[in-house]
């Protein structure tokens, strides 16, 4: 397998970043290479270079995407993601009414642009526990299995 995999995340206090890194670990353990980028260091055009795209964001405001994700989110509309596999993830807080809504917003955008979303979005409450970090690794492995080992 030599599929190219990209993880893009937004993280204010580090939780979603930690989730991203562990999903990346799972993808690598499943045999693929992965590039992990902060939302602030990527241009939307780069998505064209990858076969697999995972987008991660914490939920902000009242069930919103983080502000730093908004430009990228709107610029994504110039892309056709048909033929690519994808998934979304993020840290959130179940004490809020719109729990992890950002994960759903990203999933909906990926579907709208034609990507094949192979897994339900992964929502982790606040700081991931050791068990949840294992779950993130498992999510990465399952993503590869569902995407490339069918
Ligand atoms: C002002 C504010 C608004 C938030 N709104 C929501 C929300 O609507 N839904 C939710 O699930 N979490 C919400 N959160 C919780 C964050 O998503 C949560 O703290 C998350 O762990 C932050 O992830 P990060 O470490 O990757 O930045 C909010 C947090 C803050 C500070």
């Amino acid at each position: 397998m030599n599929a190219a995999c990209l993880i893009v995340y937004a993280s204010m206090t580090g939780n979603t970043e930690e989730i991203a890194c562990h999903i990346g670990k799972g993808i690598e353990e499943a045999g693929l290479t992965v590039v992990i980028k902060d939302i602030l260091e990527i241009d939307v055009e780069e998505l064209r270079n990858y076969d697999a795209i995972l987008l991660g964001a914490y939920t902000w405001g009242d069930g919103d995407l983080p502000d730093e994700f908004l430009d990228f989110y709107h610029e994504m509309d110039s892309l056709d993601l048909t033929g690519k596999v994808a998934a979304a993830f993020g840290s959130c807080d179940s004490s809020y009414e719109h729990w992890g809504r950002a994960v759903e917003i990203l999933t909906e955008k990926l579907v709208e642009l034609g990507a094949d979303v192979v897994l339900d979005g992964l929502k982790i409450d606040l700081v991931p526990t050791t068990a949840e970090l294992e779950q993130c690794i498992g999510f990465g492995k399952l993503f590869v299995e569902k995407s490339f080992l069918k």
Side-chain angles (χ1 to χ4, degrees):
M1 270 184 298
N2 54 4
C5 221
L6 173 70
I7 299 178
V8 180
Y9 69 88
S11 187
M12 185 172 55
T13 60
N15 300 334
T16 305
E17 181 177 21
E18 202 174 9
I19 295 167
C21 289
H22 283 76
I23 292 174
K25 201 171 167 209
I27 290 173
E28 284 182 343
E29 285 180 12
L32 293 190
T33 54
V34 60
V35 172
I36 303 178
K37 289 204 174 186
D38 189 300
I39 190 72
L40 298 175
E41 61 180 25
I42 185 162
D43 187 285
V44 85
E45 287 297 317
E46 289 178 51
L47 265 55
R48 296 187 196 276
N49 304 331
Y50 293 88
D51 308 298
I53 296 163
L54 293 103
L55 300 181
Y58 62 96
T59 302
W60 182 244
D62 191 14
D64 303 321
L65 275 181
D67 288 349
E68 66 272 29
F69 217 113
L70 291 178
D71 284 349
F72 185 93
Y73 175 80
H74 293 299
E75 285 163 18
M76 280 178 72
D77 288 338
S78 65
L79 300 175
D80 178 2
L81 300 183
T82 306
K84 298 184 190 293
V85 286
F89 62 92
S91 177
C92 34
D93 182 345
S94 55
S95 70
Y96 283 84
E97 184 187 350
H98 302 289
W99 182 58
R101 177 83 184 105
V103 176
E104 287 145 29
I105 293 171
L106 293 177
T107 301
E108 286 159 14
K109 177 62 75 181
L110 289 163
V111 169
E112 182 191 322
L113 298 176
D116 181 10
V117 175
V118 295
L119 290 176
D120 289 341
L122 177 65
K123 297 181 184 179
I124 301 283
D125 223 34
L126 299 168
V127 181
T129 62
T130 305
E132 285 167 335
L133 290 175
E134 285 301 319
Q135 187 189 349
C136 295
I137 293 172
F139 185 87
K141 287 182 181 171
L142 193 59
F143 178 78
V144 174
E145 280 172 29
K146 293 236 176 186
S147 302
F148 302 110
L149 304 177
K150 293 187 273 197

